[in-house]
Amino acid sequence: MVTSIPLVSPTPDSDRADYTIEQAWDTYTAEEHDVWRILFRRQCEILPGLAIPEFMTGIDALGMTDDGIPDFRIMNERLKEATGWAVVAVPDLVPDPVFFEHLANRRFPAGRFIRRRAQLDYLEEPDIFHDVFGHVPLLMNPVFADYMEAYGKGGMRAAGRDCLHQLARLYWYTVEFGLIDTPDGLRIYGAGILSSKTESFFSLNDPSPHRIKFDLLRLLRTNYRIDDFQEIYFVIDSFEQLFSETLQDFGPIYDALGGLSELAPFDLDPNDGIINQGTGTYATEKLLAEGRSR
Ligand code: HBI
Ligand code: FE
């Protein structure tokens, strides 16, 4: 009897309050390690010169390679040594309060599963390649590691106020889709871009999106798209800037937001620090093709 070799290993649900599960690294299949290899090699080929250099050095410092899916037990030894962070396995997205609590305690929740070979270019939920390749290397950078903890603590404080959707924007436009200005030009530090071949090029080189200077109040007013390339990217000058902006008391900011209108992703505000104004062509053509308008 031919026993079919399973393509994917089982990712169980969690029965723990913090939604964590065992990574069960030994149960990943050869196919799953192959998908990691394809994604890892592809991104490492294009990212030098596009990603902030600290991202590339973080990969090496973690001992992350194209051998296959990293074993958290081994990777965490280096991560903990460097900045006190650890990656914990979860089945998929966890509730905001649980997510914030993990970050506030220097634990990064990473989806255990990896996308199928047929999903190389896009998938809905963050898988282990997005979470571990995209997010973890910069946790080796002490200032960015401090920012991520401060963000988690900010999220726990915000839980009492109805402003999690604004905090989610801060995460989205920095940790997921942030750009940073460097002496060699704009570079990528957002995990959502770093783990995507197509958006790595689009975010820096396409004339369609706006690229404007980071401004916390303006960012918190700005909606975002979850299902396609971003129409606007916020550019920070340094991780120190990001960290100090997040340390402040958000109370007055939430109060100021109350009197300001929300902004759609492609809107510009008269006070924007415009690095380059986008043409909007990508989204306009995409929406036209789908018979929709902005
Ligand atoms: N859960 N596992 C996981 N990974 C995330 O990136 C994540 C999450 N839950 C909530 C969330 N992100 C966003 O709402 C953040 O903006 C908080
Ligand atoms: Fe993410």
Side-chain angles (χ1 to χ4, degrees):
M1 180 182 73
V2 177
T3 51
S4 66
I5 302 170
L7 277 181
V8 292
S9 55
T11 291
D13 275 336
S14 171
D15 53 10
R16 301 174 192 163
D18 66 359
Y19 283 73
T20 55
I21 56 174
E22 294 306 312
Q23 184 191 14
W25 182 84
D26 307 288
T27 66
Y28 284 118
T29 64
E31 169 65 10
E32 289 173 307
H33 285 298
D34 267 351
V35 171
W36 172 277
R37 282 189 199 98
I38 294 166
L39 292 166
F40 183 89
R41 286 174 186 156
R42 194 169 76 168
Q43 286 310 96
C44 285
E45 203 175 299
I46 66 167
L47 286 177
L50 298 179
I52 185 172
E54 285 84 341
F55 177 79
M56 305 312 293
T57 52
I59 289 175
D60 296 336
L62 278 166
M64 205 187 284
T65 68
D66 63 355
D67 284 349
I69 295 170
D71 183 336
F72 294 175
R73 293 167 298 191
I74 299 167
M75 187 174 67
N76 280 340
E77 283 170 16
R78 296 190 186 203
L79 184 56
K80 277 187 183 160
E81 176 71 29
T83 59
W85 275 82
V87 183
V88 290
V90 291
D92 49 33
L93 290 173
V94 302
D96 283 354
V98 173
F99 186 67
F100 290 129
E101 203 268 340
H102 277 304
L103 298 187
N105 290 282
R106 298 206 169 217
R107 293 186 303 267
F108 188 82
R112 178 200 173 279
F113 76 99
I114 193 161
R115 68 194 74 178
R116 303 290 179 92
R117 202 178 281 262
Q119 299 171 297
L120 288 183
D121 286 320
Y122 185 74
L123 78 163
E124 285 291 307
E125 306 270 293
D127 71 338
I128 195 165
F129 185 75
H130 166 88
D131 279 330
V132 172
F133 179 87
H135 283 283
V136 178
L138 281 176
L139 290 175
M140 294 292 276
N141 174 290
V143 181
F144 191 79
D146 289 348
Y147 167 61
M148 288 291 278
E149 177 189 352
Y151 179 84
K153 287 177 175 165
M156 292 179 79
R157 282 197 303 274
R161 300 186 59 152
D162 172 29
C163 49
L164 288 190
H165 67 289
Q166 281 134 340
L167 255 189
R169 290 171 179 168
L170 175 58
Y171 191 84
W172 189 267
Y173 281 121
T174 58
V175 179
E176 294 295 359
F177 292 96
L179 299 180
I180 186 167
D181 201 1
T182 77
D184 300 320
L186 298 190
R187 292 291 182 270
I188 305 163
Y189 73 92
I193 310 175
L194 292 166
S195 54
S196 158
K197 174 177 179 180
T198 46
E199 194 152 4
S200 295
F201 292 115
F202 178 86
S203 66
L204 288 182
N205 305 322
D206 198 285
S208 183
H210 300 314
R211 295 173 187 89
I212 68 171
K213 282 217 161 291
F214 176 93
D215 173 302
L216 183 61
L217 187 61
R218 195 278 192 220
L219 184 156
L220 294 177
R221 296 172 58 197
T222 312
N223 263 316
Y224 56 86
R225 309 192 53 172
I226 60 167
D227 58 353
D228 209 333
F229 293 161
Q230 300 308 303
E231 294 202 78
I232 188 168
Y233 294 98
F234 290 87
V235 181
I236 59 172
D237 294 323
S238 67
F239 292 146
E240 288 77 3
Q241 173 200 11
L242 196 52
F243 177 58
S244 61
E245 291 267 3
T246 308
L247 272 189
Q248 64 185 298
D249 171 14
F250 273 43
I253 292 176
Y254 293 138
D255 296 340
L257 279 171
L260 295 167
S261 61
E262 298 225 316
L263 295 169
F266 199 62
D267 286 348
L268 280 179
D269 180 88
N271 302 316
D272 282 340
I274 295 181
I275 294 169
N276 69 270
Q277 181 165 340
T279 61
T281 313
Y282 172 81
T284 309
E285 287 174 357
K286 194 98 189 268
L287 292 165
L288 273 177
E290 293 161 1
R292 295 187 298 149
S293 61
R294 263 202 177 80

